[in-house]
Structure formats: C-alpha cells, structure tokens
Amino acid sequence: MMSKLIDDYNRVIDYVRISVTDRCNLRCRYCVDGDFPFIPHAEVLTYEEIIRFVRICAAMGVNKVRLTGGEPLTRKGLPYLIRELWAIEGIRDISLTTNAVLLADNIEELKDAGLKRINISLDTLRKDRFEWITCIDAFDRVIDSIKKVSYAGLNPIKINTVIIKGFNDDEILDFVKIARKWDHEIRFIEFMPFGDTSLWKGTDIITSKQIEEVIRREFELVPSLKTNRGPAKVYDIRGGPGRIGFISPVSSHICSECNRIRLTSRGMIRPCLFSDVEYNVKSLFRSGSGDDAIRAFIRDVVKVKPERKLEMGSIRKCQRTLRDIGG
Ligand code: SAM
C-alpha cells in the first residue's frame, strides 16, 4: 500500500462519506425550503467516478465508506455501487444513512450486495408530526423498514434524531423509552447550520448537554462498552437494553479525532463539514487526468483540512445544503 493520507495535524484519514445524490423523497422543513432545484443529472458524479475515487483513496489507506445523500435509495442501482465498492482492496466497512422510506423493499438486495450497517434518520415518533416535519405521509413505511432491518439481522440499528427547539424537543424521553424497548441505539444530533431554509438561527439549537440533562432526570445512563469508534458519546440505559448516543458537532470539538473527508454529489471534496471550502475532483475525472494526478490532488486537499471548526458563537450558516454535501 502507498503511504497513508495524513493531514498537517497528523490525523490519518481513513473514512470517506459520499453523497450519491442530492435528490430526496422527503422535504424536511429544517433541511429544504419548499421546491428546491436539483443538481442536473450530468453534474452528479457517476457511479464509475465514485468507484474510481474510492479505489484511489483505498490505495492510500481509506477503509471505510458511508453512502448518504440526499436520499441514497432514490438513486437506481445502489446495490451495484455497494458491490463494486466491496470489491476494492482495502475496503472493510460500507454503511448507509437513509430516511428508510424505500428501505423495506430493498433490504435483502442491499444485504446481498454486502451492506453491513444502516443508520436511519427519524425525528419524531408521531405519525402526524412526521408528516408535518417531512411534508410526506411515510411514517408507517419508515417504521416497517426499521422492523424489517432488524429481522434481516442488520443489527444494531442506529437511529439518528435531530432535536430542534419547538419541533420535537418534547419527544426526547419518548425516544429514550423506544431505545430501551426496541434495543436500538438512538443518537441525538445537534441541529447544524445548514440548509436552504431560514430556520437556522442558532437559537434553535438544543445542545447535547441540555438533552442529556433532560434524560438524566428520568433515566440512569452508564457509559457504554458496546460502541464503535466515532463521534458519538454512547450510554447504556440502566434497567434495559438499547443505548442512546450524543453527537455534538456544534457544541463541542471532536475535530482532533476527525478521520474523514466528504465527497459531495457534484464531485467536490469537502475536507471539513463546517467549512464551505471545497475542491473539484470531478473536473480531474472529466478532463482525462490519470490516477497519479488525482492521488496527488487528494493528498493536497487532505493537507489543508482545517485544524478545527469555528467556535460555536461564530458559526454561520453554510452555503451548501446537507443533501448535497451528504449528511
Ligand atoms: N436522506 C438520508 C437520511 O435522511 O438519513 C441521508 C441524508 S440526510 C441530509 C442525513 C441526516 O442529516 C439526517 O439525519 C437529517 O436529519 C440530518 N440533517 C439535515 N439537516 C440537518 C441540520 N441542519 N442539522 C443536523 N442534521 C441535519
């Protein structure tokens, strides 16, 4: 193997998150504003370009890939992509982040293609509220998918829940109860400064610390041993199975442990989620550059990965949406 991808702060980059499409079948109010323009198909990376990118990265030590979007399951042929990525030497982990609306019908095919782990996004346990937040009546399909993923043996299921003031902060304890009942891991994520919407004001954030305080009034939390390396602080809930986690991208600095870069659906490498500075690798693919040139480009991009994101008070809204970057 060639030398690893290491940035100027000695962080080894072994993980890429890829937005396979900016298209989504939900219209979450905190993510998009009504009718939003899609990126024209021709500007979205092809599967062959994504595969080439991962192959080049894998030769430099990347071993973990997460497919996200937009909604990755709205793009045809996702099992093909997973299968091809698995065939790349060095790739040891491929996971998917999805809203699960289309998951139930695709689970066996995804599993056969080699998918091992799935994160499902779900911001409410109430059917009517789901429709209000997402603008689509699909709550039952999501719950059906969660059950089928569990039956298919793709455990543990991680459920990602963005808690937003006035949206769903009254459901925090309900989510903890469901984590215990279903034996899943529910991860509370802080609301981040992205999106087409005017909603993000900074004041809508409920920090992980505040969420944890609410939970500790009712439940005893014990640091969990059943946890993968990653940004979440995970706890067992005393008296039952299931876990809860906190992901605090806004209120805390996990930057020193950051091991990832992102590839956006339009083919930009984004070294830091919170920085709008992106680097166009698609133009190299499409101008006939060889692997050596692309490899050198990726190394240069990794070198300039910022040491840390901005302080909470100075965070401003990012220009791109999470569906383009890959949430
Ligand atoms: N469609 C897939 C899904 O729903 O999981 C993948 C893409 S979606 C952008 C990924 C995650 O980003 C979802 O859990 C969504 O709730 C989250 N998200 C979107 N906008 C966000 C924001 N401003 N702050 C925090 N999370 C956000």
Side-chain angles (χ1 to χ4, degrees):
M1 193 178 70
M2 291 164 206
S3 58
K4 291 189 170 176
L5 272 175
I6 302 181
D7 72 6
D8 267 355
Y9 305 96
N10 272 330
R11 291 172 297 195
V12 176
I13 306 304
D14 59 9
Y15 178 21
V16 293
R17 290 178 73 108
I18 301 173
S19 174
V20 299
T21 177
D22 64 314
R23 281 151 216 257
C24 190
N25 45 2
L26 297 182
R27 297 286 178 275
C28 298
R29 286 168 189 271
Y30 62 88
C31 187
V32 293
D33 212 357
D35 277 340
F36 51 85
F38 290 125
I39 303 170
H41 275 302
E43 282 183 36
V44 173
L45 284 185
T46 65
Y47 279 161
E48 302 317 319
E49 287 165 335
I50 293 174
I51 293 162
R52 185 174 180 203
F53 179 81
V54 174
R55 186 172 45 71
I56 292 172
C57 289
M60 297 185 284
V62 166
N63 53 48
K64 186 172 165 186
V65 178
R66 175 169 294 278
L67 303 175
T68 176
E71 172 47 42
L73 292 174
T74 60
R75 183 157 177 184
K76 285 204 182 84
L78 199 69
Y80 162 77
L81 178 66
I82 294 171
R83 208 167 269 122
E84 291 296 312
L85 295 180
W86 261 126
I88 295 173
E89 193 182 330
I91 295 301
R92 292 204 295 267
D93 186 30
I94 302 176
S95 54
L96 178 74
T97 296
T98 173
N99 60 33
V101 173
L102 299 172
L103 188 57
D105 296 339
N106 290 290
I107 188 68
E108 289 305 329
E109 211 188 336
L110 290 165
K111 203 178 146 191
D112 288 348
L115 192 70
K116 297 278 183 293
R117 296 187 302 114
I118 300 185
N119 287 6
I120 293 175
S121 305
L122 180 65
D123 299 324
T124 177
L125 297 166
R126 302 181 192 173
K127 187 175 160 65
D128 55 340
R129 185 176 279 178
F130 182 97
E131 186 168 349
W132 182 77
I133 293 178
T134 66
C135 302
I136 309 283
D137 174 12
F139 181 77
D140 294 337
R141 274 190 275 164
V142 173
I143 298 300
D144 185 40
S145 291
I146 292 175
K147 287 183 189 148
K148 291 207 168 115
V149 171
S150 192
Y151 298 147
L154 288 171
N155 291 305
I157 301 172
K158 291 183 182 167
I159 295 176
N160 291 337
T161 304
V162 181
I163 296 289
I164 305 175
K165 205 171 277 180
F167 255 61
N168 58 355
D169 52 329
D170 54 345
E171 291 189 63
I172 293 171
L173 294 176
D174 294 340
F175 272 106
V176 180
K177 286 176 195 150
I178 222 73
R180 286 213 311 190
K181 186 168 159 201
W182 290 350
D183 191 10
H184 296 335
E185 183 173 313
I186 304 234
R187 294 136 40 106
F188 296 105
I189 303 178
E190 288 172 342
F191 187 33
M192 296 186 285
F194 292 93
D196 302 334
T197 76
S198 54
L199 183 74
W200 199 87
K201 296 181 209 72
T203 47
D204 305 308
I205 295 176
I206 303 192
T207 62
S208 294
K209 188 162 176 275
Q210 290 166 323
I211 299 170
E212 192 173 333
E213 277 166 13
V214 170
I215 296 172
R216 282 188 185 277
R217 277 182 224 138
E218 295 246 350
F219 296 93
E220 193 180 337
L221 303 179
V222 187
S224 180
L225 300 175
K226 267 197 206 169
T227 171
N228 299 325
R229 173 180 168 216
K233 206 166 96 186
V234 183
Y235 293 94
D236 294 328
I237 311 155
R238 176 88 73 203
R243 285 166 305 288
I244 55 160
F246 298 99
I247 303 185
S248 320
V250 180
S251 69
S252 84
H253 277 286
I254 31 186
C255 307
S256 64
E257 289 156 38
C258 188
N259 61 341
R260 63 196 63 181
I261 53 172
R262 290 178 154 80
L263 180 64
T264 72
S265 50
R266 62 178 91 221
M268 309 293 284
I269 303 176
R270 192 169 170 113
C272 171
L273 177 60
F274 284 99
S275 164
D276 275 326
V277 183
E278 298 179 342
Y279 300 86
N280 192 343
V281 69
K282 181 177 68 186
S283 65
L284 297 190
F285 291 143
R286 297 193 180 177
S287 61
S289 296
D291 285 2
D292 285 349
I294 294 171
R295 195 176 302 119
F297 181 81
I298 296 171
R299 280 199 193 282
D300 287 348
V301 167
V302 162
K303 280 274 170 213
V304 297
K305 186 173 163 69
E307 182 180 16
R308 52 197 283 152
K309 68 175 170 61
L310 297 169
E311 293 302 326
M312 185 164 168
S314 48
I315 283 182
R316 60 185 171 73
K317 198 151 173 281
C318 291
Q319 298 305 305
R320 294 256 190 250
T321 62
L322 262 193
R323 69 193 157 81
D324 176 15
I325 302 165

